[in-house]
Amino acid sequence: MSGGRSESVMFERIALIGIGLIGSSISHACRRASLAGSIVGSARTPATVETAMRLGLIDEGFVTAAEAAVDADLIILCTPVGLCGPIAKEISRSLKPGAILTDVGSVKAAIVRDVAPHVPKDVHFVAGHPIAGTEQSGPESGFAELFDGRWCILTPEPDADGRAVEKLRAFWEALGSKVEIMAPEHHDLVLAITSHVPHLIAYNIVNTAAHLERVTDSEVIKFSAGGFRDFTRIAASDPTMWRDVFLNNKEAVLDMLGRFTEDLTELQRAIRFGDGDTLFRLFSDARSIRRGVVQAGQDTAAPDFGRASGRVPVAPQAASKKV
Ligand code: NAP
């Protein structure tokens, strides 16, 4: 549905600040579950706002975040992490009393630190992070199923309004997610090892391969199925987004990188000294983690990392455009 009301409308007006992969997927999933009376949005460039209108992702588009936030009951910051603080400052005076302000940023402590000071007392700020994504960017990359069965972590401040937290939990559940609540610092530690360091390794190994002198570029691409290909997929992720993640989760990433380096040294020693038992033990341990991921429903056991089953873009529904 779009632009109208229904029994299940959870928020009369939702404002998406930033309409890329995550913003557009939220819109698709909102439409699917008829959660919003209307969805409005803003982006950095007019071209993105126009595309979002054309795709029916938003009912009204605005040039500035401050205009988009006016009269919204739920405002979701869907921009790169480093912009959340400045945008919170910009929209501060547009936020209506009782509104819920949240975000989807991949780092939480820095966002809470940067956003909270700009939130008026009568507005409820509850930071969040859907643990779901792809290497694609932009308004055309979103799809309604992105959050299905995936976790969304909320990191409310200890004095956050309980009803606002529960409403946001219900919203993410209606988008298809499972919701967990934790402290922002703990989120950052967990995500450093499950997401941030793996992306860093992918960026690094792809660049290492690109700079090899004894292997040609065409050989790297031709024989990429031997494991390298999956790193190239991760390393195709948006550079702005990932620059901001590492600038804003420095401590936890450096902590996890230190541990990673120690473990890598152990593997290096085992290879150097022909210690097959150690290699076998470490590889067996790692393999059992993969089984756990599949058993927890966070991936399928299908070859190719189950990607074919999880990436089905949904045709956008038509929206009644007001602008
Ligand atoms: P994206 O596809 O690159 O989209 C970013 C959006 O932010 C674009 O619409 C961009 O507008 C807009 N934007 C940039 N600067 C802006 C500004 N000053 N004011 C208003 N809008 C602005 O990024 P994404 O993948 O959706 O990521 C968005 C957030 O979600 C990030 O914080 C990221 O950490 C988090 N996240 C990402 C993933 C993932 O896998 N991608 C998963 C979970 C969470 P233009 O198009 O006009 O430039």
Side-chain angles (χ1 to χ4, degrees):
M1 66 139 285
S2 165
R5 293 183 182 209
S6 88
E7 292 288 314
S8 59
V9 162
M10 201 176 271
F11 292 97
E12 278 302 327
R13 188 176 175 94
I14 294 178
L16 301 172
I17 312 300
I19 318 160
L21 169 71
I22 301 297
S24 62
S25 295
I26 289 174
S27 172
H28 284 302
C30 275
R31 303 278 198 215
R32 182 182 66 176
S34 301
L35 301 181
S38 68
I39 303 175
V40 304
S42 72
R44 176 177 46 178
T45 59
T48 293
V49 176
E50 280 163 25
T51 303
M53 290 289 292
R54 179 172 52 78
L55 295 175
L57 298 169
I58 52 175
D59 303 304
E60 284 181 84
F62 297 92
V63 179
T64 67
E67 289 171 282
V70 170
D71 213 25
D73 306 285
L74 174 66
I75 303 95
I76 312 177
L77 307 180
C78 305
T79 64
V81 166
L83 288 163
C84 289
I87 288 176
K89 185 176 180 189
E90 180 196 334
I91 65 175
S92 171
R93 295 173 72 175
S94 307
L95 299 171
K96 83 172 178 188
I100 297 175
L101 172 65
T102 188
D103 76 294
V104 295
S106 306
V107 168
K108 294 276 55 87
I111 286 183
V112 171
R113 178 197 68 204
D114 294 347
V115 170
H118 303 295
V119 181
K121 289 215 176 327
D122 51 8
V123 170
H124 308 296
F125 171 50
V126 182
H129 177 205
I131 314 297
T134 75
E135 69 279 16
Q136 308 289 329
S137 305
E140 287 169 312
S141 59
F143 52 103
E145 296 85 358
L146 180 65
F147 309 112
D148 287 348
R150 304 286 174 229
W151 287 100
C152 178
I153 297 176
L154 301 181
T155 63
E157 294 288 89
D159 60 353
D161 181 84
R163 280 166 304 178
V165 176
E166 284 314 306
K167 191 156 186 193
L168 195 59
R169 175 200 285 276
F171 175 73
W172 278 105
E173 286 174 349
L175 294 184
S177 289
K178 302 179 282 184
V179 175
E180 187 138 322
I181 291 181
M182 63 177 70
E185 295 76 15
H186 188 67
H187 164 279
D188 290 353
L189 199 62
V190 172
L191 269 291
I193 193 61
T194 57
S195 171
H196 305 170
V197 168
H199 275 81
L200 198 70
I201 292 166
Y203 280 124
N204 193 50
I205 201 162
V206 170
N207 282 332
T208 302
H211 297 142
L212 284 178
E213 283 150 13
R214 284 173 293 167
V215 181
T216 64
D217 285 356
S218 63
E219 283 175 317
V220 167
I221 291 168
K222 184 173 169 186
F223 301 116
S224 65
F228 182 72
R229 183 191 57 183
D230 292 307
F231 283 112
T232 62
R233 182 184 64 79
I234 298 173
S237 300
D238 186 65
T240 305
M241 170 187 156
W242 284 99
R243 177 203 62 196
D244 281 13
V245 166
F246 292 110
L247 290 178
N248 288 281
N249 196 20
K250 191 170 154 182
E251 303 299 329
V253 167
L254 289 177
D255 182 2
M256 291 302 161
L257 261 184
R259 287 160 191 257
F260 174 81
T261 309
E262 287 168 20
D263 291 344
L264 190 63
T265 303
E266 188 183 355
L267 282 171
Q268 206 175 344
R269 279 179 61 83
I271 294 168
R272 187 180 305 286
F273 295 110
D275 181 355
D277 288 348
T278 296
L279 291 174
F280 187 83
R281 177 175 55 78
L282 293 173
F283 295 163
S284 299
D285 289 352
R287 191 179 209 191
S288 67
I289 297 282
R290 169 69 190 165
R291 289 200 194 101
V293 169
V294 172
Q295 276 165 13
Q298 294 304 296
D299 205 345
T300 74
D304 209 18
F305 284 72
R307 268 178 282 164
S309 59
R311 296 280 315 285
V312 186
V314 165
Q317 298 172 17
S320 60
K321 296 174 181 174
K322 295 184 193 165
V323 170

